[in-house]
Amino acid sequence: MISRHLERHFMYLGSRPKRRRSSPWRVLVLLILIGVGIYILIQVKQERVEPAFVPTPTPTRTASSYVFEAESLYWEGDLKGAITTYERAIELNPAPVGPYISLARLLALEGRTVEAVQRAEAAVDKAPENARAWAVLGMTYDWHGEVDQAIEACQRAIELAPDCADAYSYLAEAYADDGNWVDATENAETAVALNDKSVDAHRNYGYVMEVQGNYTRALESYRRALAIHPNLAYLHIAVGKNYMALGNPDAALESFEKAAEVDPRSAEAYYRLGRAYYDRGDPTTAQEYLQTATEVDPRFGSAFGYLAFTYWSRRNYEDAIPNLQRAIMLDAWRARRQARGFVVSLESRQGGLIQPSSEVVMNGDFEPTSFDNTDVLRASLSPLTVEDGWQGAQGSVILDTRTGVYTVTLEAMPATRYDRVYVGWFQGVRTLSGHPLSTGPLKLDEGSVEAQFEAVWVEGPRIDYFYTLGLAHFFLDECEKAYPFFDAALQINPEDENALRGVQLCREAEAD
């Protein structure tokens, strides 16, 4: 029996409709459509017609738009963001000098002085008659520790534009760092008189007052700077430091907290908060802020140092030790980055070799090996005389500031008398005892030498890092590890009571 469903199926099969005959007009229309499709396809392949559904291209950002954004970020207090944005503007259009000037200033304010000097020098190269470029070069030189060059650059800026307030402002700062209080004060006053709306004019007037111990007037100037730009964390920090100097820790804490509020990425703000709480006898709260400072800036040696002190104060020597070690390493790294130049001098073989003699025969300035790697510095050495025997002399020094390892290469050097030796000296880097870092006598073979040296501990880390680290090892019964740190502290100050006491304690413990 066939089901009803199958019956319907057979019924439909048996009743198929008759096929219509094709219309010639329909065929013609189809042929035209096919032809049009083929034509469009050819045009698309030849890029004469845009294909459908292609996304609308977004406009490319201009360098000027990045400059505008960087300026906005600066007024918002985001210096790190402004730096990154200025760098993008320069990448897109390296011709204008303005972004270089602004970038150099911000890099210096952020403590990135090597890069700041690079950008400022590039600005002067681009616009040698631009007073603002010379002024910011003076600022970056000063913040990099090259005070004499800073003064010269600022004076050049004033020659080009006697009404350039920034030039007087940075010159005042350099004179203050040089201990020239009279000229520092005079130039700071001139800067403010020329431009009472300049943040740097008031900041540097405050700085000149601060280094002379006039904290009340310093506060007044810093507040005027904040009235112009209330979102600069470093100004709030300066206010807080002066409140601390005046014995008002509550007001100082308020200023440091404001600094952290306007710039949550300011490691200095958290460090100052940590120090303030540590000085108030609250190591637990201090530890929290100092830990944050080390997380925001893992290269901030002072933050690690005070973090170690919070552990030390609670007799947690195990955690104090690695933080003190890191503080010493980071501060030594920072000190080695201050290397400005290298000289080779002729010295007596019997001499004490404490500092270079007047017979300097070769020199060279350190420069980063690249913009991307400012931690490795290179100085190309050339002779200072054209006398016979020196025509082919040359050399180089490569310093890895992170490790302290450096390589000295000299070629085609004239032979010396038997009682004379060549010695290499760093400019800007000193030993723990405060003398210029040197290679000692260089042993030449047929006028050439390539030698590797290491400068691990240099002047920079605080003396209390060393003797506290030594004492921490002593309390853990590790005097063999303690002695090198006591010795380092005594190189800084041979009469330091803490280091001498540490040595005595270790000797007594070993004698028992």
Side-chain angles (χ1 to χ4, degrees), residues 383-512:
L384 297 179
T385 178
V386 293
E387 295 179 3
D388 290 343
W390 285 97
Q391 290 86 346
Q394 60 181 341
S396 66
V397 183
I398 298 177
L399 167 65
D400 188 335
T401 61
R402 296 163 296 191
T403 62
V405 174
Y406 63 98
T407 302
V408 178
T409 303
L410 299 177
E411 298 176 0
M413 300 288 287
T416 64
R417 297 195 327 241
Y418 71 93
D419 61 340
R420 309 277 275 171
V421 292
Y422 290 117
V423 178
W425 305 86
F426 280 87
Q427 295 176 318
V429 182
R430 294 180 174 272
T431 63
L432 289 175
S433 57
H435 301 301
L437 177 65
S438 78
T439 62
L442 293 167
K443 298 179 181 179
L444 273 66
D445 181 12
E446 297 183 354
S448 299
V449 64
E450 182 173 340
Q452 190 174 88
F453 304 88
E454 192 172 20
V456 179
W457 289 349
V458 296
E459 184 181 68
R462 294 165 43 146
I463 189 172
D464 51 356
Y465 292 172
F466 288 106
Y467 67 65
T468 303
L469 184 51
L471 289 169
H473 281 298
F474 163 75
F475 286 120
L476 293 176
D477 297 323
E478 298 173 340
C479 277
E480 72 284 355
K481 296 181 180 180
Y483 280 123
F485 299 107
F486 293 141
D487 179 66
L490 292 171
Q491 289 182 52
I492 298 173
N493 180 7
E495 299 180 358
D496 184 78
E497 295 181 356
N498 296 286
L500 291 170
R501 178 59 176 160
V503 172
Q504 180 183 357
L505 289 171
C506 273
R507 288 175 177 168
E508 292 174 353
E510 290 172 338
D512 292 341

Side-chain angles (χ1 to χ4, degrees), residues 226-268:
L226 279 171
I228 299 168
H229 194 330
N231 294 325
L232 289 177
Y234 67 86
L235 289 177
H236 290 285
I237 291 169
V239 168
K241 288 166 62 180
N242 281 268
Y243 273 129
M244 290 291 287
L246 289 170
N248 190 343
D250 292 334
L253 278 172
E254 190 175 325
S255 293
F256 296 146
E257 288 169 352
K258 183 63 176 177
E261 177 186 332
V262 300
D263 184 4
R265 294 187 290 176
S266 172
E268 177 79 11

Side-chain angles (χ1 to χ4, degrees), residues 80 110 265-268 270-271 289-305 307 322-334 375 402:
K80 293 180 178 62
E110 284 290 292
R265 294 187 290 176
S266 172
E268 177 79 11
Y270 298 113
Y271 164 70
Y289 282 114
L290 291 164
Q291 186 68 50
T292 301
T294 62
E295 292 167 359
V296 172
D297 184 359
R299 295 169 61 162
F300 195 172
S302 298
F304 283 97
L307 179 60
N323 283 285
L324 283 169
Q325 290 173 330
R326 185 159 181 82
I328 291 171
M329 183 271 288
L330 289 170
D331 282 358
W333 179 5
R334 180 180 178 184
D375 290 320
R402 296 163 296 191

Side-chain angles (χ1 to χ4, degrees), residues 333-394:
W333 179 5
R334 180 180 178 184
R336 290 188 291 263
R337 283 172 60 90
Q338 300 302 309
R340 301 190 304 273
F342 192 89
V343 302
V344 177
S345 64
L346 272 171
E347 304 290 341
S348 169
R349 192 178 294 274
Q350 306 300 322
L353 301 181
I354 295 178
Q355 58 186 8
S357 69
S358 59
E359 294 187 72
V360 175
V361 295
M362 300 185 78
N363 71 351
D365 295 329
F366 278 111
E367 298 285 349
T369 54
S370 69
F371 274 113
D372 298 328
N373 187 3
T374 59
D375 290 320
V376 179
L377 307 178
R378 187 181 191 279
S380 296
L381 306 178
S382 57
L384 297 179
T385 178
V386 293
E387 295 179 3
D388 290 343
W390 285 97
Q391 290 86 346
Q394 60 181 341

